[in-house]
Amino acid sequence: MNPTTLDAPLPGIVGNSPAMREVYKRTRLVAPTRASVLIVGETGTGKELIARAVHRLSPRADGPYVRVNCGALSESLLESELFGHVKGAFTGAIDNKTGRFEAAHGGTIFLDEISSMSPKLQVKLLRVLQENEFERVGESRTIRVDSRVVAASNQLLEDEIDAGRFRDDLYYRLNVVPIYLPPLRERREDIPALARYFLEHYSEENRRDPPQLPRAVIEMLLNHDWPGNVRELENYIERAVVLSHGRELIPEVIGPPGRDGRRWKPPRGAGRGGDLQTLIQQLVRTGIQTISPDQGDLYDRLVHGVERELIEQVLIDCDDVHVKAAARLGINRNTLHKKVTYFRGEGQPTNHEL
């Protein structure tokens, strides 16, 4: 392989930053081998895209690619999913079932959220990695498989080992070749290209002409930390396409990133008959800051800023149905309407409306 092409972007993956070029290089180097791969990165960084690239670039590309989300199932269900079971092995086992490792024979099995796997299943997985064999649940017959394991975690497994939740011997078996996926905030130079890619994709999906991406919007995207990473950016651009109606993206219309309900959630009990002003003051005490101390009447501005955040969150949760949102907030519907009108810049409130 030409060394100059090792760090070229992988098909279907957008980004040309130095951090991503290192990801491409390591992916291409490990893909042709039999080595296990551990992909580490925050939620939304695209770990499965890299797992699929490892499979697609490997000699196993014509074999099956099987994905298992280890965090989505209980221990008993995950054991059955991974290794299969025989009829009568447990209540509800009415037929024999082929496990995911068998299904991935000759191909690749991708174990997502590996850090959530129970100690019992970690032992069984270690045996598969060491001996390439296992038994179905409820059966003593040993089954041999040839499946390459690619695992992923949004937790640092070293920390899980220190906490006693993950086996160090399994870690060393999985971590033959680690691939670290950087969060979006560490590769901001990729944000404009990603935004344009999603803009084209969702414009085509919604049968609209791609709107222009003005510099003001790009600056807004570059200044956001993107805690949800590429997935958050994708969702934001999709929303922008819908709200723009095929016209140029305008910050005042599509709104800033982070106001989609993921930045914070109201404390438990919000909108259940409690006093809104008391709730806002509780939020202030927990450290939600929306203004700087040099902006005049600090207390009133801070309270109003937090109140706006709360109302926007509840409206999102209630699909913008004002009757439902007002009930959750514990205020009158007309009061809510006046506040929303003011916050969205459509009018001026009286002192009694805030």
Side-chain angles (χ1 to χ4, degrees), residues 196-314:
R196 292 187 179 95
Y197 173 82
F198 292 132
L199 201 61
E200 293 281 345
H201 173 77
Y202 285 107
S203 295
E204 181 179 350
E205 188 174 274
N206 290 280
R207 298 180 180 179
R208 293 178 176 175
D209 293 330
Q212 294 295 315
L213 189 63
R215 186 65 198 174
V217 173
I218 293 177
E219 289 293 335
M220 187 171 66
L221 300 181
L222 290 171
N223 289 329
H224 184 54
D225 280 341
W226 302 106
N229 293 294
V230 178
R231 188 176 299 140
E232 180 186 358
L233 175 62
E234 178 180 3
N235 291 345
Y236 177 76
I237 295 298
E238 181 180 9
R239 183 168 75 246
V241 169
V242 172
L243 295 178
S244 69
H245 297 287
R247 298 187 294 272
E248 182 181 42
L249 300 184
I250 301 174
E252 291 76 14
V253 173
I254 62 177
R259 294 185 180 272
D260 55 358
R262 276 194 296 257
R263 186 162 51 181
W264 64 277
K265 293 183 179 298
R268 186 173 298 174
R272 297 181 181 179
D275 178 68
L276 180 60
Q277 192 73 9
T278 299
L279 175 58
I280 293 169
Q281 293 179 15
Q282 290 173 350
L283 290 171
V284 172
R285 287 196 295 270
T286 62
I288 295 177
Q289 298 290 328
T290 59
I291 60 173
S292 59
D294 59 352
Q295 287 183 278
D297 193 345
L298 177 62
Y299 178 80
D300 286 343
R301 288 176 179 268
L302 181 57
V303 168
H304 295 165
V306 176
E307 182 182 27
R308 176 174 181 167
E309 295 287 342
L310 175 62
I311 288 175
E312 288 181 351
Q313 167 71 48
V314 174

Side-chain angles (χ1 to χ4, degrees), residues 96-276:
N96 292 344
K97 177 179 179 177
T98 299
R100 301 293 183 92
F101 269 103
E102 279 185 85
H105 181 73
T108 303
I109 183 168
F110 173 50
L111 303 177
D112 199 5
E113 296 188 36
I114 191 71
S115 61
S116 63
M117 186 174 285
S118 70
K120 173 186 173 182
L121 294 185
Q122 289 179 35
V123 173
K124 297 194 72 169
L125 176 58
L126 180 61
R127 182 186 173 197
V128 177
L129 288 169
Q130 290 176 331
E131 310 295 339
N132 295 317
E133 62 183 30
F134 62 91
E135 289 84 34
R136 291 177 179 173
V137 178
E139 186 178 50
S140 58
R141 181 173 65 92
T142 297
I143 298 173
R144 294 192 60 81
V145 290
D146 175 22
S147 304
R148 183 187 196 172
V149 175
V150 177
S153 174
N154 56 17
Q155 306 288 333
L156 289 176
L157 293 185
E158 295 93 332
D159 294 341
E160 297 298 297
I161 292 171
D162 292 342
R165 292 188 292 264
F166 203 83
R167 297 178 62 96
D168 54 357
D169 49 1
L170 176 58
Y171 168 74
Y172 294 125
R173 282 285 179 177
L174 292 171
N175 195 42
V176 176
V177 179
I179 297 177
Y180 170 71
L181 277 180
L184 193 53
R185 62 183 175 275
E186 292 182 6
R187 55 179 187 113
R188 294 180 187 271
E189 57 266 52
D190 290 333
I191 290 176
L194 283 163
R196 292 187 179 95
Y197 173 82
F198 292 132
L199 201 61
E200 293 281 345
H201 173 77
Y202 285 107
S203 295
E204 181 179 350
E205 188 174 274
N206 290 280
R207 298 180 180 179
R208 293 178 176 175
D209 293 330
Q212 294 295 315
L213 189 63
R215 186 65 198 174
V217 173
I218 293 177
E219 289 293 335
M220 187 171 66
L221 300 181
L222 290 171
N223 289 329
H224 184 54
D225 280 341
W226 302 106
N229 293 294
V230 178
R231 188 176 299 140
E232 180 186 358
L233 175 62
E234 178 180 3
N235 291 345
Y236 177 76
I237 295 298
E238 181 180 9
R239 183 168 75 246
V241 169
V242 172
L243 295 178
S244 69
H245 297 287
R247 298 187 294 272
E248 182 181 42
L249 300 184
I250 301 174
E252 291 76 14
V253 173
I254 62 177
R259 294 185 180 272
D260 55 358
R262 276 194 296 257
R263 186 162 51 181
W264 64 277
K265 293 183 179 298
R268 186 173 298 174
R272 297 181 181 179
D275 178 68
L276 180 60

Side-chain angles (χ1 to χ4, degrees), residues 50-79:
I50 298 301
R52 287 185 179 275
V54 170
H55 173 71
R56 189 174 60 249
L57 296 173
S58 75
R60 299 169 177 264
D62 292 333
Y65 172 85
V66 178
R67 177 183 181 272
V68 183
N69 187 335
C70 300
L73 300 171
S74 65
E75 179 185 274
S76 58
L77 288 176
L78 181 57
E79 182 177 17

Side-chain angles (χ1 to χ4, degrees), residues 24-41:
Y24 304 146
K25 179 180 178 181
R26 188 161 288 206
T27 300
R28 285 193 171 93
L29 287 173
V30 71
T33 72
R34 297 179 60 88
S36 298
V37 180
L38 178 62
I39 305 171
V40 180

Side-chain angles (χ1 to χ4, degrees), residues 12-27:
I13 301 179
V14 179
N16 202 34
S17 60
M20 287 305 295
R21 283 188 166 275
E22 180 60 30
V23 171
Y24 304 146
K25 179 180 178 181
R26 188 161 288 206
T27 300

